[in-house]
Amino acid sequence: MLAKCYSGALCGVNARTVEIEVCAASGSIQFTLVGLPDQAVKEAKDRVAAAIGNSGYRKIESNVTVNLAPADVRKEGPIYDLPIAVALLAATAKVECPDLADYALVGELALSGEVRRTQGILPIVLEMRRIGKKGILVPMDNAAEAAIVDGIDVYPVHTLREATDFLAGKLPLEPVKEDLGLLVAAGRDSCDDFSDVKGQDFAKRAIEVAVAGGHNLLMVGSPGAGKTMLARRIPSILPPFTVEEALEVTRIHSVAGELKGERSLVVQRPFRAPHHTVSDIGLLGGGAHPQPGEVSLAHRGVLFLDEFPEFKRSVLEVLRQPLEDGHVSIARAAAACDFPSRFMLVAAMNPCPCGYADDPKHLCRCSQRQIAAYRSKISGPLLDRIDIQIGLPPVACHELMDLPPGEPSKVIRARVIAARERQHARFAGIPGTYCNADMRSRDLARFCRLDAAAQDKMRFILQALDLSARAYDRVLKVARTIADLAGSDEVTDDHVAEACTYRELDRNYWN
């Protein structure tokens, strides 16, 4: 007898449909599993046999063949335990499941028959909705994550017996639902606020400009200047997630196993801060079976690299493609995957190995050669991709005591949102362009035209700073953002002048 049900196979942050076909015939007792399974899938026959026996069903005594189609797609992990077990019981007539082909199933089985959570459930549910499945059975611990997808019924199950009884019509189950709008709205407040930051007004203005235009940012300052404190408050002024963005980011975190059953939806902009010992695979993603790295987990959020020069040179250089293209393409023998990675890079570093080269109150003990070697760890091409580069002077303790609290994040965020709305209206209909930092050369010529005074000022500053052609484009983009914050349709010489102050660490500093 033949039975068939459906599941999915992960491919990057997406999923492909997998048909589970089970044929049970008379003859010698054996269990054959085909369809390019990995070791975890091959072991399913032992878990399934024990789970069936411990769920109150008689032992399977047939010649069983399980086919996972399509056969040219590699199947990984224990997610096929539940569909194989249910289809096997249906094929051997131990349960009656007339509508089995209308449902998808995902879940790992314990030997007791309990259904355990799996990672990557969200892309599979989206794929099952796309192909028009009536419903999907998922582990109870994955129910909240799966239920954020509209247009398909999600049924959480505790055990194999519960799944078979539902499919046989013996046990009614209610599908679970989540309100995406409420979940997104509930996560819009951040515990870290810019009102906690006293002083550093220039740095806070630079951060506001960077966030308003989606620009990358580098902060250089001595220890205690407030680089990390400022960076950790950036998510509080980022525009709130839309429902589509939240779903897109949640899909990446689901595939990476970052949700861990603690939340069903990523409702706050990601803030990823990997240690400087991270490998290039850990940062970019990859492995024998490609998984998203930190640049993808920071998608639509912030990637913060503290102690920037302490990262390996090879690790930093892999950032160049995602910074330029907004996605990462990884090709391996097992698969080729494309991971989204449109993030805001925020980097922080000391001016020298000891940290006090630019500090007027502390003595720097580094030689000029040591300082040059330290700064040279950051390559020119990578620096050119960082739109805003600023220095942070230290703030004395007695000054901090006299300074009032800083401007609240909600006030800054209101200005950022207004600037972003201007950009969304400007770039409507231009694919892949969401903010000023995404503009291409043809967009600059169209949206960043300078009058005569602005051109003269730009020409003078370019010669003084010896900027590259790419850095010139970055200055134009930042000037466009400053104009947006001011509510101006034109980019004036004042906007250009302020944009150039955010390149204060350019050629002369690095050389």
Side-chain angles (χ1 to χ4, degrees):
M1 186 175 177
L2 179 67
K4 180 170 68 173
C5 63
Y6 290 83
S7 189
L10 294 177
C11 183
V13 295
N14 298 309
R16 293 187 59 175
T17 302
V18 174
E19 293 184 16
I20 292 91
E21 300 173 311
V22 177
C23 179
S26 58
S28 59
I29 299 175
Q30 61 180 11
F31 190 108
T32 305
L33 183 59
V34 297
L36 204 59
D38 72 350
Q39 187 60 38
V41 180
K42 292 177 182 177
E43 293 170 352
K45 64 179 182 180
D46 299 315
R47 291 191 296 271
V48 165
I52 287 175
N54 289 320
S55 297
Y57 295 105
R58 293 181 59 185
K59 181 180 178 181
I60 305 295
E61 297 181 344
S62 302
N63 186 336
V64 176
T65 302
V66 178
N67 180 40
L68 307 178
D72 60 343
V73 175
R74 187 171 180 82
K75 320 304 186 303
E76 301 172 3
I79 64 173
Y80 306 105
D81 290 3
L82 180 60
I84 289 174
V86 172
L88 180 56
L89 289 170
T92 54
K94 289 184 167 42
V95 294
E96 295 272 344
C97 300
D99 299 327
L100 180 58
D102 294 333
Y103 289 88
L105 300 96
V106 177
E108 176 185 351
L109 286 178
L111 300 184
S112 62
E114 178 188 357
V115 183
R116 292 174 172 167
R117 68 169 284 107
T118 61
Q119 67 185 54
I121 202 81
L122 183 56
I124 296 175
V125 178
L126 290 168
E127 173 66 8
M128 294 303 105
R129 181 185 67 177
R130 186 190 69 80
I131 65 174
K133 288 296 129 185
K134 182 178 179 181
I136 181 169
L137 278 65
V138 301
M140 179 62 70
D141 290 342
N142 289 115
E145 176 188 343
I148 65 177
V149 180
D150 289 329
I152 184 172
D153 291 334
V154 175
Y155 298 95
V157 291
H158 289 281
T159 63
L160 171 61
R161 188 80 193 206
E162 189 174 308
T164 55
D165 286 349
F166 166 72
L167 293 169
K170 299 177 181 179
L171 176 68
L173 291 178
E174 288 296 324
V176 294
K177 295 291 182 183
E178 291 280 0
D179 190 322
L180 275 178
L182 290 178
L183 288 174
V184 172
R188 287 180 178 170
D189 295 326
S190 175
C191 56
D192 293 327
D193 197 280
F194 269 95
S195 61
D196 303 329
V197 182
K198 296 183 178 181
Q200 298 294 11
D201 292 334
F202 176 74
K204 287 189 283 189
R205 170 62 178 175
I207 289 172
E208 180 180 340
V209 172
V211 173
H215 304 289
N216 301 316
L217 170 69
L218 172 63
M219 297 181 285
V220 181
S222 56
K227 303 184 293 295
T228 303
M229 185 179 186
L230 287 165
R232 292 193 177 277
R233 280 155 179 75
I234 289 176
S236 69
I237 63 171
L238 284 167
F241 262 150
T242 63
V243 171
E244 294 76 15
E245 287 176 328
L247 199 59
E248 182 183 17
V249 172
T250 303
R251 180 190 298 203
I252 300 171
H253 286 243
S254 174
V255 170
E258 292 284 317
L259 300 181
K260 304 185 188 309
E262 301 168 1
R263 50 184 176 167
S264 59
L265 187 72
V266 178
V267 293
Q268 291 183 344
R269 298 274 178 179
F271 182 88
R272 305 292 299 188
H275 192 261
H276 63 260
T277 56
V278 68
S279 66
D280 53 351
I281 290 179
L283 190 66
L284 192 67
H289 306 293
Q291 287 284 304
E294 291 291 338
V295 297
S296 297
L297 293 171
H299 182 61
R300 303 293 183 190
V302 175
L303 177 67
F304 178 48
L305 302 184
D306 203 2
E307 304 296 341
F308 202 34
E310 299 299 333
F311 287 80
K312 295 178 182 177
R313 179 72 174 261
S314 61
V315 171
L316 293 180
E317 290 306 303
V318 302
L319 286 172
R320 288 160 62 173
Q321 184 211 354
L323 286 175
E324 200 71 26
D325 301 334
H327 65 90
V328 175
S329 298
I330 298 173
R332 296 290 185 269
C337 301
D338 192 85
F339 296 112
S341 57
R342 194 173 295 278
F343 58 90
M344 176 182 172
L345 174 65
V346 178
M349 60 178 284
N350 296 328
C352 68
C354 77
Y356 296 110
D358 299 332
D359 194 324
K361 297 184 178 180
H362 292 85
L363 176 64
C364 174
R365 302 183 181 277
C366 305
S367 66
Q368 289 299 318
R369 178 175 294 180
Q370 288 173 319
I371 294 175
Y374 181 77
R375 294 177 180 177
S376 68
K377 293 180 180 180
I378 314 300
S379 70
L382 182 57
L383 283 171
D384 281 345
R385 287 168 170 81
I386 300 178
D387 302 356
I388 297 178
Q389 305 171 15
I390 60 171
L392 270 70
V395 181
C397 291
H398 67 275
E399 295 176 353
L400 287 175
M401 297 175 64
D402 299 331
L403 289 171
E407 193 175 22
S409 290
K410 64 180 180 180
V411 176
I412 303 173
R413 183 168 59 183
R415 295 195 295 266
V416 167
I417 292 173
R420 285 288 184 103
E421 288 175 349
R422 293 177 65 89
Q423 295 166 50
H424 291 162
R426 179 185 305 128
F427 302 130
I430 303 179
T433 305
Y434 305 97
C435 54
N436 290 332
D438 299 330
M439 284 192 291
R440 301 172 179 85
S441 298
R442 63 177 180 272
D443 300 324
L444 290 174
R446 179 180 174 186
F447 299 118
C448 301
R449 294 177 180 173
L450 305 179
D451 58 23
Q455 288 180 13
D456 291 341
K457 182 158 288 186
M458 176 69 83
R459 192 175 295 111
F460 171 77
I461 295 174
L462 286 176
Q463 293 175 350
L465 294 179
D466 187 25
L467 296 181
S468 68
R470 183 181 281 115
Y472 166 71
D473 288 349
R474 304 290 175 181
V475 171
L476 278 181
K477 292 177 182 181
V478 173
R480 176 68 267 175
T481 300
I482 295 169
D484 289 337
L485 283 168
S488 172
D489 293 329
E490 302 296 328
V491 180
T492 67
D493 57 337
D494 290 337
H495 301 146
V496 169
E498 182 181 351
C500 289
T501 64
Y502 301 136
R503 303 294 301 193
E504 66 176 67
L505 302 179
D506 228 301
R507 299 297 182 190
N508 294 334
Y509 183 86
W510 298 105
N511 293 334

